[in-house]
Amino acid sequence: MDRRKALKNMGLSLGYAIATPTLISLMQSCQEEKAMVWTPDFFSVGEGAAITKLVDIILPKTDTPAASEVQVHLFIDRLANEVMEPEKQDLFKLGMSRFMEEAVRVSGKDKIEELKTEDLEPVLAEALRNTKEEEVQMFESITNYQEAVSQGKAVTLDDNIARFSFANNLRGLTIWGYSTSEYIGEEVLAYLPVPGQYVACDDVETLTGGKAWSIGISNYE
């Protein structure tokens, strides 16, 4: 499916669900920081470089910018560092560690910093190549693992499941960050920075030409 069309037709709930002061602040700060050298807060420098490549594998440049071009990697780093609960951070780091270890092993490289896009792409594809039934089982294992950890039990998480957890989370965060970026909000979705006439109920096709609202509409009540 054409990405621009898909973004325009995204459900309205996405924009409203994330329109919180904290996340809006994160997105704004990511747009402001477009330095030549990015120093991650949550990730190591090597992990940050790999994350930048991974988000562009998930959402490469087409008729809309690549994910990294709208600062999605910064968004994920800030969200993980400032918003994720500690137990979610630990799970994300665990999955990322297992994922990067596998990428280094398969590629024959010595360290994360040497990984290229072609090294990461097959590992990402393999981590996400599961049937619906397998995903259900993996999510159940992840839930059981988190519950055991919260109870102070010594438990381990299967490597394949850990890599799936990371890849699945990263994919969701990439789409989330991309959909709420300034460029997508203003250039692809229906954008209304200054609310005008209040329309209590009308057809989306009539109001926006079928586009989902950008989060700019979240203050329009």
Side-chain angles (χ1 to χ4, degrees):
M1 178 183 287
D2 177 78
R3 186 193 299 169
R4 184 178 291 271
K5 183 181 295 184
L7 286 166
K8 288 179 180 178
N9 292 321
M10 289 172 64
L12 292 176
S13 60
L14 178 62
Y16 286 106
I18 62 173
T20 63
T22 299
L23 292 180
I24 289 176
S25 175
L26 284 176
M27 288 180 283
Q28 289 174 339
S29 65
C30 290
Q31 292 303 318
E32 292 167 0
E33 184 180 328
K34 297 183 179 180
M36 294 297 292
V37 178
W38 168 49
T39 302
D41 296 315
F42 181 77
F43 305 119
S44 69
V45 173
E47 290 167 346
I51 291 293
T52 303
K53 295 180 179 71
L54 283 167
V55 299
D56 282 349
I57 293 172
I58 295 169
L59 287 176
K61 184 179 181 66
T62 58
D63 62 328
T64 55
S68 67
E69 292 182 288
V70 295
Q71 314 303 316
V72 169
H73 52 306
L74 273 74
F75 171 79
I76 294 174
D77 180 62
R78 296 256 173 96
L79 184 141
N81 191 58
E82 300 177 22
V83 179
M84 276 188 185
E85 297 175 350
E87 58 269 24
K88 298 293 184 183
Q89 290 179 331
D90 291 342
L91 179 62
F92 196 53
K93 286 182 177 179
L94 172 65
M96 178 171 56
S97 175
R98 303 281 177 81
F99 183 97
M100 297 303 176
E101 287 172 1
E102 179 70 359
V104 169
R105 184 190 69 81
V106 172
S107 67
K109 302 292 175 60
D110 294 322
K111 52 187 178 180
I112 295 176
E113 288 80 0
E114 297 176 356
L115 294 173
K116 297 182 179 180
T117 298
E118 54 266 33
D119 300 322
L120 295 163
E121 193 163 8
V123 181
L124 180 65
E126 182 63 27
L128 295 172
R129 190 180 291 120
N130 305 290
T131 65
K132 291 296 182 182
E133 292 75 17
E134 288 171 336
E135 288 191 359
V136 169
Q137 293 175 355
M138 287 183 172
F139 282 127
E140 183 176 347
S141 296
I142 293 168
T143 299
N144 292 338
Y145 171 81
Q146 290 180 297
E147 289 178 351
V149 169
S150 68
Q151 295 169 8
K153 297 179 180 179
V155 291
T156 59
L157 188 63
D158 177 82
D159 286 351
N160 289 331
I161 297 176
R163 286 193 288 271
F164 164 74
S165 174
F166 168 72
N168 185 65
N169 278 335
L170 183 66
R171 178 174 59 183
L173 290 173
T174 299
I175 295 171
W176 188 6
Y178 192 84
S179 303
T180 55
S181 67
E182 180 179 2
Y183 176 87
I184 298 302
E186 295 185 4
E187 302 297 329
V188 178
L189 301 178
Y191 180 61
L192 186 61
V194 181
Q197 179 185 5
Y198 175 70
V199 181
C201 184
D202 206 339
D203 183 76
V204 174
E205 195 68 38
T206 301
L207 292 173
T208 69
K211 296 181 182 179
W213 281 110
S214 166
I215 62 167
I217 196 64
S218 61
N219 294 322
Y220 183 31
E221 298 177 353

